[in-house]
Amino acid sequence: MTVSSITTTPIKRADNNGNETSEVTGYSLSQQIEVRSNDVQKIAQIAREATELINQGILIESKPPQYYYTKIGDLKIEMLGEAAKDAKERAERIASSTGNSIGSVKSAKMGVLQITAADSTEVSDYGTYDTSTIEKDMTAVVNVSFAVK
């Protein structure tokens, strides 16, 4: 848990025309608290229960939690390998449908990763990374060129 320092903002009186004057009538104090945990279900529960504090008269501003997958590096290698296998299988099917076969790999490039909410159709040329949901889908793109025999 990370607790920021308190930010103090003066509250100034408004004149009859609604314009702010230089007279300070009070201060607004705010402080941010960030909670990080591997127990994502507990974080989701705490986020839902934040309204209880408001019902008790505690003024808070709550933001929706953000969910990150912290082992993308490990999974990315596996996903790219699977995407390359899929590219080869597709190329073989395309080539065989025209009476040809594929030869050696001419070039291979990694494309973007799409990490989206489960069952989402969102895509981006630059990749996307959804942090609004716990459940995620990850799509790896590989561009492979093969020689044709």
Side-chain angles (χ1 to χ4, degrees):
M1 182 161 59
T2 305
V3 179
S4 72
S5 60
I6 295 175
T7 301
T8 306
T9 306
I11 300 170
K12 297 183 179 179
R13 187 177 73 75
D15 63 19
N16 293 337
N17 295 325
N19 298 317
E20 189 178 85
T21 67
S22 61
E23 181 184 346
V24 175
T25 60
Y27 293 90
S28 172
L29 305 175
S30 65
Q31 186 172 40
Q32 291 187 9
I33 300 172
E34 180 180 318
V35 178
R36 291 176 176 250
S37 173
N38 291 329
D39 189 348
V40 292
Q41 297 301 331
K42 188 68 170 173
I43 294 296
Q45 176 186 353
I46 290 168
R48 287 189 303 272
E49 293 174 352
T51 54
E52 263 313 299
L53 295 172
I54 295 169
N55 292 339
Q56 294 174 23
I58 299 171
L59 299 177
I60 64 164
E61 180 182 330
S62 177
K63 295 180 181 176
Q66 293 181 314
Y67 302 99
Y68 293 91
Y69 185 70
T70 58
K71 296 185 176 148
I72 288 176
D74 299 338
L75 189 57
K76 183 162 105 174
I77 294 167
E78 181 182 333
M79 294 286 296
L80 290 170
E82 291 299 318
K85 285 180 192 175
D86 184 58
K88 182 179 180 185
E89 183 178 323
R90 289 171 188 248
E92 287 171 342
R93 288 189 185 185
I94 291 168
S96 69
S97 70
T98 60
N100 295 297
S101 63
I102 64 168
S104 61
V105 172
K106 293 294 188 183
S107 69
K109 292 190 293 185
M110 180 183 98
V112 296
L113 291 176
Q114 308 285 343
I115 301 171
T116 59
D119 303 320
S120 171
T121 58
E122 178 184 7
V123 292
S124 168
D125 291 347
Y126 302 103
T128 186
Y129 192 153
D130 172 75
T131 61
S132 68
T133 60
I134 295 171
E135 296 296 322
K136 300 180 185 319
D137 288 339
M138 183 171 161
T139 305
V141 176
V142 173
N143 298 306
V144 183
S145 296
F146 295 92
V148 177
K149 297 181 193 175

